[in-house]
Amino acid sequence: QGIHPFAYLPSHFITSPQTLPGITPELYHLLNSPEYYTVYPPVSQGAFWLAAKLFPTSIPGGVLVLKAILFCCELATIGLLAATERTFPARPFAAGRAMTYALNPLLILEIAGNCHFEGAMLFFLLSGLYFLHQKRWVKAAGFWALATASKLVPLLFIPVIWVRLGWRNGGRLMVWCAVFTTLLFLPLLEPEILRKMASSLNLYFRQFAFNASIYYVLKMAGKALLPPDVDVGRALGPILAALVFAGVWGIALWGRRIRQSAGQVPLYDLLLLAATLYLALATTVHPWYITLPFGLGLFTRRQFPLIWTGVAALSYSHYSGGHYTEKYELILLEYGCLGVAILLDILRSRRISGAAVS
């Protein structure tokens, strides 16, 4: 409609006398967050624009366009994974990395099925890492910028990449990333627009909670120990976000230290550890978020991300009966199974390391 998507809350178009084709009370009542500014970055917004341009008044038509875009991203990811099997064997995945990805039920359901742009982000991210291994810095930076402009999560990995590459190569990559990211984000580089986007991100960390693990434990402990007038949930969100930031830097520096003393930790293992830390401390863990550690885990010997995509299905029970009620016993079962899988991976890794030494 020629209106900046970050300019107004969705509720503005319902209360305003201005009417726009396709924006109806029926559509408004389907929104999860009608009182929040959007947080979707430019690549996602571009896909939404195309869907609305082709089908301005048809929700099924617009959804079809989004599914087609994400389906193409999935095909490209599968092709990329198949190509890497020849140069980087799939290790524990006997059926092959591409087949393991292509047939995973969670990804089939949540990416092209439910239109979550983690699929686009993962394709761009893995493409960036592919060119990174080939030391093609400009292409790697371009794809990394596209991943960031699909979902903001890849910003999390900057310390790991920079420390691994060193100041010279890492700095060169970051400069190109900054150039491409700035170009992609040009429509958002206005103080008022950035303020509105930041306000929604702040609310996300403070008020949203779903299928969390450590956050729920800390929240329960805080409610038991602190005065009842303290809003533990709102306080914990920013604290955990800060811990993730510090933890990722710790992972990056730990990787360099190990590299200098006992050999190199593979880059994908460090990225997987960072992604796992992020989700472990997150206040919201939707099933499709696990696309990220699952995709990275395909390049490691770790099998817990594959298990995670299975046990995450327990969170769908929260919507049973047509309403939203979290079942904490199933959350406990989910993360208990995940914890066992991580422990088994650690024991398996130590056994392999011991055999290699002997």
Side-chain angles (χ1 to χ4, degrees):
Q1 306 293 341
I3 298 172
H4 200 298
F6 288 82
Y8 301 103
L9 294 171
S11 57
H12 168 82
F13 297 101
I14 299 301
T15 58
S16 170
Q18 179 186 20
T19 59
L20 298 173
I23 299 181
T24 63
E26 290 76 18
L27 176 62
Y28 176 79
H29 290 305
L30 294 174
L31 299 181
N32 280 335
S33 306
E35 295 297 336
Y36 297 91
Y37 293 101
T38 182
V39 295
Y40 288 98
V43 167
S44 300
Q45 295 290 348
F48 303 155
W49 172 87
L50 180 62
K53 193 73 173 177
L54 295 176
F55 294 95
T57 60
S58 171
I59 295 176
V63 169
L64 179 63
V65 173
L66 296 179
K67 289 191 174 189
I69 292 171
L70 290 169
F71 183 66
C72 289
C73 288
E74 290 294 86
L75 291 178
T77 299
I78 293 167
L80 178 65
L81 293 173
T84 60
E85 288 178 6
R86 294 188 291 270
T87 56
F88 194 46
R91 296 182 179 180
F93 303 105
R97 185 179 295 123
M99 191 66 69
T100 304
Y101 182 93
L103 297 181
N104 188 280
L106 181 72
L107 272 69
I108 293 172
L109 174 65
E110 294 293 1
I111 304 304
N114 284 340
C115 292
H116 292 294
F117 272 74
E118 272 73 10
M121 176 197 71
L122 185 64
F123 165 63
F124 293 132
L125 181 65
L126 294 181
S127 297
L129 290 169
Y130 175 79
F131 288 113
L132 187 66
H133 281 291
Q134 298 181 351
K135 298 184 179 180
R136 297 164 72 176
W137 310 119
V138 177
K139 285 189 174 182
F143 277 106
W144 203 280
L146 285 168
T148 303
S150 299
K151 302 283 284 192
L152 297 175
V153 177
L155 292 172
L156 178 74
F157 299 134
I158 287 177
V160 177
I161 297 294
W162 200 333
V163 171
R164 169 51 58 93
L165 294 180
W167 287 107
R168 182 178 178 182
N169 289 331
R172 183 190 309 174
L173 180 70
M174 291 304 115
V175 168
W176 280 111
C177 278
V179 170
F180 290 132
T181 302
T182 300
L183 290 174
L184 288 168
F185 276 80
L186 272 178
L188 308 185
L189 296 183
E190 303 174 20
E192 184 64 15
I193 297 301
L194 292 175
R195 184 193 66 78
K196 290 175 178 179
M197 190 175 186
S199 70
S200 284
L201 288 172
N202 182 51
L203 287 169
Y204 173 83
F205 285 111
R206 288 182 180 274
Q207 291 188 209
F208 282 46
F210 178 85
N211 196 41
S213 54
I214 293 174
Y215 168 75
Y216 280 167
V217 174
L218 294 177
K219 185 177 180 180
M220 292 174 61
K223 286 187 174 181
L225 298 174
L226 297 175
D229 59 331
V230 177
D231 192 335
V232 179
R234 289 180 66 89
L236 275 176
I239 294 173
L240 292 176
L243 287 176
V244 169
F245 178 79
V248 171
W249 269 105
I251 290 169
L253 297 174
W254 171 76
R256 184 178 68 176
R257 179 183 175 186
I258 295 296
R259 184 180 185 180
Q260 293 171 344
S261 60
Q264 182 166 283
V265 178
L267 176 60
Y268 284 101
D269 286 85
L270 294 176
L271 296 177
L272 174 59
L273 182 57
T276 303
L277 174 68
Y278 162 64
L279 292 179
L281 296 179
T283 60
T284 303
V285 185
H286 289 297
W288 53 91
Y289 290 6
I290 302 162
T291 299
L292 178 60
F294 174 63
L296 294 171
L298 291 172
F299 292 87
T300 74
R301 295 185 182 276
R302 313 300 171 189
Q303 299 185 41
F304 76 84
L306 178 62
I307 303 300
W308 202 350
T309 63
V311 297
L314 292 169
S315 67
Y316 295 129
S317 65
H318 305 334
Y319 297 101
S320 63
H323 55 275
Y324 169 60
T325 304
E326 288 197 288
K327 297 175 174 57
Y328 293 104
E329 66 277 9
L330 293 181
I331 294 177
L332 180 61
L333 176 61
E334 174 189 353
Y335 288 106
C337 292
L338 177 61
V340 171
I342 292 174
L343 179 61
L344 291 175
D345 266 339
I346 294 173
L347 295 175
R348 188 183 302 111
S349 177
R350 289 182 176 178
R351 186 166 61 250
I352 293 173
S353 300
V357 170
S358 62

